[in-house]
Amino acid sequence: MLLLKWPPGPANLDWGVWILAYFGYAYIIAAAIYYVKTDK
């Protein structure tokens, strides 16, 4: 994803960086909810 040529997005960062960051945040939130629900 980061190897593709993306047009500049917000804050002059590539869209690939933004997508990777948002997936990272979604993963952390999902992992936290899973941890609370399963108590593991």
Side-chain angles (χ1 to χ4, degrees), residues 11-34:
N12 207 20
L13 290 173
D14 291 339
W15 283 107
V17 176
W18 281 106
I19 292 169
L20 193 66
Y22 278 117
F23 275 125
Y25 279 122
Y27 173 76
I28 291 170
I29 292 169
I33 291 171
Y34 175 78

Side-chain angles (χ1 to χ4, degrees), residues 30-40:
I33 291 171
Y34 175 78
Y35 178 79
V36 169
K37 294 287 187 186
T38 60
D39 211 13
K40 290 184 179 179

